[in-house]
Amino acid sequence: MSTITYEEPAPTPLALLLLGRGADPASERGVDCPGDLPAASDPDLVARARAAKAALGERVFVLGHHYQRDEVIEFADVTGDSFKLARDAADRPEAEFIVFCGVHFMAESADILTGPDQRVILPDLAAGCSMADMATAEQVAECWDALTDAGIADTVVPVAYMNSSADIKAFTGSHGGTICTSSNAQRALEWAFEQGEKVLFLPDQHLGRNTAVRDLGIGLDECVVYNPHKPNGGLTTEQLRAAKMILWRGHCSVHGRFSLDSVAEVRERVPGVTVLVHPECKHEVVEAADMVGSTEYIIKALDAAEPGSKWAIGTELNLVRRLAKAHPDKEVVFLDRTVCFCSTMNRIDLPHLVWALESLVEGRVPNVITVDPQTSAHARAALDQMLALP
């Protein structure tokens, strides 16, 4: 069996945050991790992590998102996308501490779905999500007022992507809507259109547009983008009334960087390549790709691929690296020629994980993520609606 060498993309300024230091203005919470972190150069970090995890035993359950770096994934009890991990946490009621190696909205979802005696810990509170932060509760309330003024609020069903804050999930639940993931967005939209005539999809415009147009056959001209930074969302009353999909002006900073040029360049560089992208990519990129699917879909596609096949993957680089390593018999390349990490996800590094685990061993419970009961109840209603989708 031949082994194909993985070619690392060129570095970009995002790499400056790879050790979780410095500030990211797009971070959802933008705060420093309290306490003294171990040095990233400490040669005993791996041994310390193992010792702390062993000392905690079944009291701790470590979750690792697919976009985490390998040094963190090594200590995860389970890996997966955000919703799978939240459900995995809920299925471990005996675990006193849930250490979520992901970002803030994911830890919130885990807190909503786990028991009252369990505590969810985010190793670095600055591990946020710029997409989730693009929709605040106040902005969405203003949007709903605009829909009410246009006389269409009663016909609109909100659908919120899993990649949203607890406040947005709560808004969705309190207005009769549902949550979706990139795996079940089509089912969520089909259900929503059975309940009403229009959908308010937030916060990722690209997932909403791609699902509506590609899977439901809705026209691009029936999709409008609501910009929370403009009066009335930058839309006229007539535009709101005519639209079937009202898309929030939000996006993923990682998937949003892939372009038509990226697709054209990789096809020229790697003849015979299959371009596989995440549905958070721009519509024109999705249309130019060969295959489109969620993170879990991408992983399964590579698992099932023929030896010797060539793949260009349009998603976060840590996952692409891991796929390339797991499939040395296939040529796996990153869709872009330059590094594209999720900089806030990468704030969860081994020093932060060691600090969190050792704090628990010493009896201190750091960085607990707690969603207030009222918000949690409304958000849980929206999550339960998603679980009830046919």
Side-chain angles (χ1 to χ4, degrees), residues 2 18 27 61 84 111 121 155 171-173 213 227 240 284 287-288 290 322 324 342 351 353 367:
S2 62
L18 292 187
S27 173
F61 190 45
K84 176 184 180 297
D111 182 61
I121 294 151
T155 69
F171 168 89
T172 302
V213 174
N227 186 342
L240 287 172
E284 60 265 27
E287 287 292 287
D290 299 300
R322 199 168 296 123
C342 174
L353 178 59
N367 296 3

Side-chain angles (χ1 to χ4, degrees), residues 15-351:
L16 296 175
L17 292 175
L18 292 187
L19 293 179
R21 305 302 197 270
D24 183 352
S27 173
E28 183 178 356
R29 289 299 178 268
V31 296
D32 290 331
C33 182
D36 295 326
L37 290 175
S41 59
D42 185 342
D44 297 325
L45 280 178
V46 171
R48 290 171 64 177
R50 287 175 181 163
K53 197 163 183 285
L56 292 165
E58 293 188 356
R59 296 176 64 206
V60 69
F61 190 45
V62 180
L63 308 176
H65 190 271
H66 286 308
Y67 297 168
Q68 287 292 326
R69 58 182 85 210
D70 287 345
E71 67 186 46
V72 171
I73 290 293
E74 178 182 350
F75 295 98
D77 294 301
V78 294
T79 60
D81 61 17
S82 58
F83 185 61
K84 176 184 180 297
L85 293 178
R87 293 191 71 180
D88 286 341
D91 290 339
R92 289 291 292 265
E94 69 277 10
E96 183 180 351
F97 307 115
I98 307 296
V99 177
F100 209 125
C101 298
V103 294
H104 196 275
F105 78 80
M106 300 178 188
E108 286 183 328
S109 297
D111 182 61
I112 291 166
L113 292 174
T114 52
D117 296 330
Q118 295 177 287
R119 283 178 283 186
V120 178
I121 294 151
L122 188 64
D124 186 352
L125 292 178
C129 171
S130 58
M131 180 206 295
D133 207 33
M134 289 176 187
T136 68
E138 294 77 12
Q139 290 172 334
V140 176
E142 291 176 2
C143 173
W144 200 256
D145 288 341
L147 301 181
T148 301
D149 292 341
I152 61 171
D154 291 342
T155 69
V156 176
V157 177
V159 176
Y161 190 20
M162 190 71 182
N163 299 27
S164 58
S165 69
D167 287 339
I168 300 307
K169 291 183 176 72
F171 168 89
T172 302
S174 64
H175 288 78
T178 188
I179 308 302
C180 77
T181 68
S182 54
S183 299
N184 70 1
Q186 179 179 351
R187 281 185 292 157
L189 286 184
E190 288 171 343
W191 172 85
F193 280 116
E194 291 171 359
Q195 317 306 311
E197 300 173 8
K198 305 172 185 293
V199 166
L200 171 63
F201 192 94
L202 61 165
D204 181 24
Q205 61 171 305
H206 300 306
L207 177 62
R209 182 184 294 106
N210 289 327
T211 305
V213 174
R214 291 173 56 86
D215 299 327
L216 273 63
I218 293 173
L220 279 173
D221 58 346
E222 297 177 284
C223 303
V224 296
V225 178
Y226 182 94
N227 186 342
H229 302 292
K230 293 184 177 181
N232 213 52
L235 300 168
T236 65
T237 298
E238 290 72 22
Q239 286 176 309
L240 287 172
R241 290 174 177 171
K244 291 195 69 173
M245 287 288 295
I246 302 167
L247 306 166
W248 194 264
R249 190 175 181 269
H251 66 275
C252 170
S253 59
V254 171
H255 293 105
R257 73 172 284 124
F258 299 118
S259 66
L260 282 177
D261 288 342
S262 303
V263 177
E265 189 278 333
V266 81
R267 290 197 190 281
E268 181 177 355
R269 174 163 49 99
V270 187
V273 71
T274 297
V275 178
L276 171 55
V277 302
H278 195 280
E280 289 178 19
C281 293
K282 299 171 185 174
H283 183 67
E284 60 265 27
V285 173
V286 166
E287 287 292 287
D290 299 300
M291 298 171 67
V292 183
S294 66
T295 301
E296 297 292 342
Y297 177 92
I298 291 171
I299 294 170
K300 291 177 181 178
L302 267 293
D303 288 343
E306 293 291 329
S309 55
K310 304 174 183 180
W311 297 84
I313 311 298
T315 192
E316 207 271 346
L317 181 55
N318 274 317
L319 176 58
V320 179
R321 278 177 164 175
R322 199 168 296 123
L323 289 172
K325 183 178 180 180
H327 300 281
D329 60 330
K330 302 154 193 172
E331 184 172 354
V332 179
V333 301
F334 191 55
L335 181 56
D336 200 60
R337 287 302 299 263
T338 55
V339 168
C340 192
F341 289 105
C342 174
S343 60
T344 50
M345 182 82 74
N346 269 271
R347 293 192 70 93
I348 309 295
D349 56 8
L350 191 53

